[in-house]
Amino acid sequence: MNKKLPIYACIAIVLIKFLFLLTHHIQEDALITWRVAQNLLDYGVIGFNGDEKISSSTTHTYVFVSYFFNLIFGKAYFMYPLLIFNSVLFTIGSYFLSKMLLKEYWQQAVFIVLFGILPPSIKISILGMEYGILFFLEMSLLYYGFYQKKNWALLLFSPLILFTRIDTVIFLGIVFIVDLIWNKKINWRYILGGIIGVGVVLAFNWFYFGEVVNNTITAKKLAYDKEFSTSLSWKYFLINYGNYWGMLKMTANFNPYTILVLLFELCAFIYLVTKKNSRNIFLWIIFLFAWAKQIIFISQKSYFDWYYWVPQILLFAVIIVFILEQKTKRNLWMALLLLFYIVPMLAYQTIHSIATGNGEWNYRRSIGLFLDKYEKDKNQWIFLEPAGFVPYYSHLKTIDEVGLVDRGVQTEMIKDKKNFWFNTIKNRQPKYILAYKDIYQDPESEYYRQHYKLLKEFRIKDHLKSDNPILEKIYKLKPSGRDYNLYERIK
């Protein structure tokens, strides 16, 4: 019976996450990957706009997985089976992690539940991003390759991990370093797996797209590259550091809650690794990887919160292990953890998912649905940012401001970054512009007035209502979304 407790915990946590699917909280970038997958289905080309090849998605593995789910379930019904699949894979990964870190079955079961209801774990599972698959692959490598010493795992999972995200070279590198120091010998099979992985990814990018790294990396580096003074770098760090070690990003610059969590993580880690235990190699791997990835991404001014989901939960895992292994007053420790962290974080994530789901699914999706009905010619172009919900549901060809789905924007940035927005519109003449601002107030207002008319205004305040009074309070408590103006080219 005890042996089955971790399995029961896995089933329970997956069922709990099903409730979050009702919030329709889906990450914008997931729809970019799904459109790429559907473009592959329709045109036989990995791209975004027809038969043009472009790596608009950061992840190759997830594109192919999404393609097969579209093929099996159809474009109208693939979404929820895929989200459930992501959630199941993440939970299996957490099961592997629990086996590596804890001996008792009841400890593993409690770990799986507590680990699974952390905010980043919920987001990894149900927001549609590739991190559920990635977490499963990374934990599978550790479990089968280093815990059970299966040589086949070293050759299989390293290439799959790299093909999912190229930045996982950080994870694979940390694993190699820790394993080398721990065992005092080079694991040549692991090196071979890494060489195969890097070779496969680079060869695929070069021979299919004609590039070494994904277009998404090139586009983001070009679009977000700007000079940061020391004071500005510090300002951005303070605004975003809740993403790094905590799980609650407050609007204020100072977040003491995150500092307390960080200190607790450090103390718990030191306490655990000072005790001789064979599982310490895995504690060192997950802790050093989490810190390494965060430091590298922080140094590159990468402020998208999904980059930090996996590091967040891996750092917090040591706290759960620390509490589960207390010999005295364990129940008190557990009660305090639940009362002051797990329950508040779960409540916060529930409110956040409901509010964000409203802003994305009910609001931003409605813009795409409006355009889908209004514009019958799907060969027409729209210029906007971001390239998720609206392009996906409007089915229009898309130029995005970052250049993720269209390289022409990058060309304009290289020529004149300051004026690339206007130059793109003037040279490409898209039929539609979806803007956060009133373009008639821009310096180029005369051109816009001559060539574009305001078709419709979309306002987030119009979507903060619900027949359910509790939902309406949540929508108004945490409004999610921005105002848009939709412009149509004058014929």
Side-chain angles (χ1 to χ4, degrees), residues 48-97:
F48 199 88
N49 296 310
D51 59 1
E52 178 190 6
K53 293 179 180 180
I54 183 171
S55 53
S56 299
S57 173
T58 309
T59 167
H60 296 322
T61 299
Y62 194 38
V63 166
F64 289 114
V65 170
S66 301
Y67 166 83
F68 283 113
F69 270 79
N70 273 273
L71 190 64
I72 295 168
F73 295 97
K75 293 180 182 179
Y77 302 105
F78 84 96
M79 196 175 294
Y80 287 106
L82 181 56
L83 295 177
I84 293 169
F85 177 73
N86 288 343
S87 183
V88 169
L89 284 189
F90 173 80
T91 305
I92 294 173
S94 67
Y95 170 80
F96 290 154
L97 182 60

Side-chain angles (χ1 to χ4, degrees), residues 48 117 207 488:
F48 199 88
I117 59 176
F207 288 109
E488 181 180 12

Side-chain angles (χ1 to χ4, degrees), residues 58-62 130-143 145-146 153-173 175 190 193-194 196-198 200-201 289 293:
T58 309
T59 167
H60 296 322
T61 299
Y62 194 38
E130 67 271 16
Y131 290 98
I133 295 174
L134 183 61
F135 186 76
F136 165 77
L137 293 173
E138 290 175 337
M139 295 304 107
S140 296
L141 172 67
L142 295 181
Y143 182 73
F146 293 90
L154 302 177
L155 300 176
L156 174 64
F157 290 115
S158 295
L160 287 174
I161 288 169
L162 283 165
F163 204 66
T164 303
R165 286 188 67 95
I166 192 67
D167 57 33
T168 52
V169 69
I170 301 170
F171 172 79
L172 297 175
V175 172
Y190 182 60
I196 293 172
V198 172
V200 168
V201 174
F289 160 65
K293 179 164 184 179

Side-chain angles (χ1 to χ4, degrees), residues 41-324:
L41 189 67
D42 294 336
Y43 296 92
V45 170
I46 299 176
F48 199 88
N49 296 310
D51 59 1
E52 178 190 6
K53 293 179 180 180
I54 183 171
S55 53
S56 299
S57 173
T58 309
T59 167
H60 296 322
T61 299
Y62 194 38
V63 166
F64 289 114
V65 170
S66 301
Y67 166 83
F68 283 113
F69 270 79
N70 273 273
L71 190 64
I72 295 168
F73 295 97
K75 293 180 182 179
Y77 302 105
F78 84 96
M79 196 175 294
Y80 287 106
L82 181 56
L83 295 177
I84 293 169
F85 177 73
N86 288 343
S87 183
V88 169
L89 284 189
F90 173 80
T91 305
I92 294 173
S94 67
Y95 170 80
F96 290 154
L97 182 60
S98 73
K99 300 287 282 185
M100 291 183 284
L101 298 182
L102 297 159
K103 291 182 178 180
E104 299 291 336
Y105 294 118
W106 72 265
Q107 291 177 325
Q108 295 168 11
V110 174
F111 177 91
I112 290 166
V113 172
L114 295 181
F115 189 79
I117 59 176
L118 294 172
S121 301
I122 293 171
K123 288 183 281 193
I124 288 172
S125 299
I126 60 100
L127 263 65
M129 298 285 277
E130 67 271 16
Y131 290 98
I133 295 174
L134 183 61
F135 186 76
F136 165 77
L137 293 173
E138 290 175 337
M139 295 304 107
S140 296
L141 172 67
L142 295 181
Y143 182 73
Y144 288 109
F146 293 90
Y147 183 72
Q148 293 198 344
K149 308 293 185 181
K150 304 293 185 182
N151 290 328
W152 60 264
L154 302 177
L155 300 176
L156 174 64
F157 290 115
S158 295
L160 287 174
I161 288 169
L162 283 165
F163 204 66
T164 303
R165 286 188 67 95
I166 192 67
D167 57 33
T168 52
V169 69
I170 301 170
F171 172 79
L172 297 175
I174 293 295
V175 172
F176 172 75
I177 292 171
V178 174
D179 177 64
L180 177 63
I181 295 173
W182 190 268
N183 294 305
K184 297 179 176 60
K185 63 179 181 180
I186 296 175
N187 191 327
W188 292 106
R189 286 187 179 87
Y190 182 60
I191 291 177
L192 178 59
I195 292 173
I196 293 172
V198 172
V200 168
V201 174
L202 297 183
F204 181 79
N205 282 346
W206 179 255
F207 288 109
Y208 192 84
F209 297 110
E211 58 194 18
V212 176
V213 297
N214 295 34
N215 177 70
T216 53
I217 298 173
T218 304
K220 287 178 181 178
K221 181 174 178 56
L222 180 61
Y224 301 128
D225 186 30
K226 56 183 177 181
E227 293 295 328
F228 279 84
S229 63
T230 303
S231 60
L232 188 60
S233 296
W234 180 243
K235 176 183 176 181
Y236 270 79
F237 174 82
L238 289 177
I239 293 173
N240 289 278
Y241 88 105
N243 281 333
Y244 310 142
W245 301 286
M247 297 177 197
L248 179 63
K249 183 179 176 183
M250 297 180 179
T251 54
N253 283 355
F254 181 67
N255 181 355
Y257 204 49
T258 296
I259 298 295
L260 291 175
V261 173
L262 170 61
L263 292 175
F264 197 178
E265 288 169 350
L266 288 169
C267 292
F269 175 73
I270 294 170
Y271 173 86
L272 292 174
V273 296
T274 52
K275 298 181 179 298
K276 290 186 177 181
N277 196 311
S278 60
R279 59 95 185 270
N280 284 1
I281 182 175
F282 301 108
L283 288 172
W284 278 106
I285 286 172
I286 65 174
F287 209 74
L288 290 179
F289 160 65
W291 273 91
K293 179 164 184 179
Q294 291 186 142
I295 290 172
I296 291 171
F297 275 67
I298 291 169
S299 69
Q300 298 302 306
K301 309 294 189 300
S302 298
Y303 297 122
F304 297 112
D305 65 319
W306 52 87
Y307 292 147
Y308 304 94
W309 290 345
V310 173
Q312 284 171 354
I313 56 174
L314 290 180
L315 287 174
F316 198 82
V318 298
I319 291 180
I320 301 176
V321 173
F322 167 79
I323 291 175
L324 288 174

Side-chain angles (χ1 to χ4, degrees), residues 350-381:
T350 302
I351 293 172
H352 176 70
S353 288
I354 291 172
T356 307
N358 176 63
E360 300 289 357
W361 187 265
N362 295 337
Y363 173 54
R364 208 190 312 251
R365 185 177 69 112
S366 69
I367 302 175
L369 293 174
F370 168 80
L371 276 165
D372 185 47
K373 185 177 180 181
Y374 181 82
E375 179 55 70
K376 303 301 181 184
D377 182 3
K378 301 310 174 184
N379 287 315
Q380 296 296 336
W381 291 80

